[in-house]
Amino acid sequence: MKLSTLSVPNNAALESMGLQWHTDSDNSAYVSDELIHITQDEAEAFYEAGNTLYDMYVEAGEYVIEHDLFFELDIPPSLIGAIKQSWEEDIHWHLYGRFDLAGGLNGKPIKLLEFNADTPTMLYESALLQWAILKYNHLDESAQFNNIHNALSDNFKRLITLSEDVSRFDELYEGWGILFSSMTDSIEDITTTRFLEYIARESGFRSEFAPIDKVSFSASEGVSFEGVNYEFLFKLIPWENVAIDEPELALLMSEMMQNHNTIFLNPAYTLLFQSKRMLKILWDLFPNHPLLLPASFEPLADSMLPFHKQVCKPAFGREGANVAISDVQGNIIESKEGIYTNHKPLYQAFYELNGHNGAFYQPNVFFAYESCGLGFRKGGLIIDNFSKFVSHCID
């Protein structure tokens, strides 16, 4: 890997840019002073990988629905109807997601680790902060694989045009509104959601932000906030959390969809993509595909492990929680505790991340209709909530 050192703005400057979560709980800086240098060919390979993987996920989603594999993917039964409806009706448009990958640098093949298709964070720093850091260091801020802002703007317009062509947005738009909402206990979630709200408003939508506990849900009237109705609700709250923690709300949201008064972003079908157990479906449908790693609902045989290690992770989970790496004898090499032990497991062949001086770097490709940006996280063998954000540039 080729890295150089950056000057990172102080905390006050980062806060002025909107990044409030600049310091981790161990008082270490969240934003790394490293800059990862990639080639134009590597940037194009990341772009193509995201596009190819998304097409594969769409084919796998169709397969799951046709063969009624919701239980295998650990999908809450209360959301199956909403998933099927959102899959069948074109109006339910996937706004954005994030592929977590390995490899892609110095000739190391790109491999898919998982797809955060429903509620991906790391958006604000990837779209805006790393661009600003290059500019702060008097570097060419355009020398990045980073078109996230424009891609999201166009994809918001596609909520109305429902096609690649966004030129007819002004002609077709009838004043529809998008309400953006998140929990209030995470400044990162709030900032991510408000950043999306800003882009939607900039793109021409009537939009507003509201804490999720202030949003009114009605089967007959739809979604409203302070007496104002909105046709769309973006919620940075995972669908599976809604189903598990608020089962009555999940049923109400499904009824609202059936009454065609509310469109939820991201749509319910993204829960299929979000389930890590979809990795096994992908491997079944596309065996030995160069972007995939062997995956199974049961521990993998040694013959399927190129590095004689495998990873066990829950169908739904975040920030490396409840992930374990083991050798062929089943001995745990490294693991992280967490709150996701009740979810079904997925076993995936181990594939080491890009490494440098004992640290590991995970590339993350954002997708909004097409691959649109790249960011890196730095951490250990398992990327967890103490990972650092690393900017990149194209040489």
Side-chain angles (χ1 to χ4, degrees):
M1 290 179 60
K2 181 181 178 183
L3 296 98
S4 60
T5 302
L6 287 168
S7 177
V8 177
N10 61 32
N11 290 346
L14 290 173
E15 290 174 8
S16 72
M17 297 177 189
L19 191 84
Q20 305 290 323
W21 60 100
H22 47 66
T23 305
D24 287 327
S25 58
D26 60 357
N27 289 321
S28 62
Y30 167 60
V31 180
S32 172
D33 63 355
E34 294 176 322
L35 179 68
I36 296 176
H37 296 255
I38 68 173
T39 67
Q40 184 63 46
D41 286 346
E42 288 170 338
E44 291 175 1
F46 282 124
Y47 172 81
E48 294 297 341
N51 293 338
T52 299
L53 287 167
Y54 195 84
D55 288 344
M56 293 162 66
Y57 264 94
V58 171
E59 187 171 335
E62 186 70 36
Y63 182 86
V64 167
I65 292 172
E66 286 182 356
H67 293 83
D68 194 27
L69 300 178
F70 300 101
F71 176 81
E72 285 79 359
L73 263 59
D74 207 15
I75 303 297
S78 60
L79 291 178
I80 292 175
I83 290 171
K84 289 182 176 179
Q85 180 181 348
S86 64
W87 187 265
E88 294 166 358
E89 297 177 350
D90 291 341
I91 192 69
H92 301 279
W93 197 267
H94 190 186
L95 183 60
Y96 83 112
R98 189 193 78 218
F99 289 105
D100 293 350
L101 307 171
L105 302 179
N106 300 332
K108 188 173 184 178
I110 296 172
K111 299 292 184 181
L112 171 67
L113 300 181
E114 57 196 58
F115 186 21
N116 291 278
D118 180 16
T119 54
T121 52
M122 212 180 86
L123 178 70
Y124 186 80
E125 47 268 56
S126 297
L128 183 62
L129 180 65
Q130 64 174 339
W131 173 87
I133 286 179
L134 286 189
K135 189 171 184 178
Y136 181 81
N137 283 266
H138 307 291
L139 300 172
D140 181 4
E141 64 270 21
S142 67
Q144 288 185 339
F145 173 23
N146 184 2
N147 188 41
I148 299 172
H149 185 284
N150 291 338
L152 282 169
S153 179
D154 284 347
N155 227 19
F156 274 118
K157 294 176 182 178
R158 292 188 185 99
L159 297 175
I160 303 301
T161 67
L162 297 178
S163 71
E164 180 177 4
D165 181 12
V166 299
S167 63
R168 296 187 64 205
F169 172 79
D170 292 337
E171 173 190 344
L172 298 172
Y173 177 61
E174 299 181 356
W176 285 18
I178 309 176
L179 183 62
F180 290 81
S181 188
S182 71
M183 303 291 284
T184 57
D185 58 354
S186 169
I187 188 63
E188 180 181 4
D189 286 1
I190 293 172
T191 302
T192 299
T193 306
R194 299 212 69 149
F195 178 57
L196 288 164
E197 191 265 334
Y198 167 80
I199 296 176
R201 183 177 298 176
E202 183 186 57
S203 303
F205 279 89
R206 174 174 61 90
S207 63
E208 187 57 80
F209 172 84
I212 192 62
D213 59 350
K214 302 296 183 182
V215 177
S216 297
F217 294 81
S218 167
S220 58
E221 301 297 326
V223 161
S224 63
F225 172 60
E226 296 183 341
V228 179
N229 277 82
Y230 295 84
E231 287 75 16
F232 297 88
L233 174 68
F234 175 88
K235 45 150 203 68
L236 198 68
I237 301 168
W239 276 104
E240 73 272 14
N241 284 15
V242 175
I244 294 170
D245 299 335
E246 300 286 346
E248 293 182 359
L249 177 59
L251 293 173
L252 176 58
M253 292 169 71
S254 296
E255 188 175 358
M256 293 161 70
M257 288 176 56
Q258 293 164 17
N259 292 337
H260 295 96
N261 58 39
T262 309
I263 300 166
F264 296 101
L265 303 171
N266 277 308
Y269 69 73
T270 58
L271 188 57
L272 301 179
F273 300 168
Q274 184 90 358
S275 172
K276 297 177 183 64
R277 293 196 126 211
M278 184 65 99
L279 295 166
K280 190 264 187 186
I281 306 298
L282 287 169
W283 185 254
D284 288 346
L285 294 177
F286 308 99
N288 300 307
H289 191 282
L291 291 172
L292 300 180
L293 294 167
S296 174
F297 297 155
E298 304 293 336
L300 292 159
D302 187 22
S303 59
M304 300 180 70
L305 303 177
F307 297 101
H308 303 286
K309 300 175 188 174
Q310 61 185 301
V311 180
C312 178
K313 46 192 173 183
F316 299 103
R318 282 159 183 79
E319 298 178 326
N322 300 108
V323 172
I325 302 172
S326 63
D327 61 20
V328 291
Q329 286 79 34
N331 301 311
I332 301 297
I333 298 170
E334 186 160 345
S335 64
K336 301 290 181 181
E337 296 182 351
I339 60 173
Y340 304 106
T341 54
N342 291 330
H343 289 296
K344 294 181 173 68
L346 182 282
Y347 296 87
Q348 184 183 47
F350 174 81
Y351 190 81
E352 189 168 276
L353 299 171
N354 307 294
H356 180 76
N357 288 342
F360 297 95
Y361 299 77
Q362 182 185 87
N364 305 270
V365 171
F366 282 89
F367 188 93
Y369 192 75
E370 63 179 351
S371 300
C372 58
L374 173 69
F376 285 87
R377 285 181 292 175
K378 173 186 177 181
L381 281 176
I382 299 174
I383 298 295
D384 60 15
N385 60 337
F386 285 101
S387 65
K388 310 304 178 186
F389 179 77
V390 187
S391 303
H392 79 281
C393 70
I394 301 174
D395 287 341

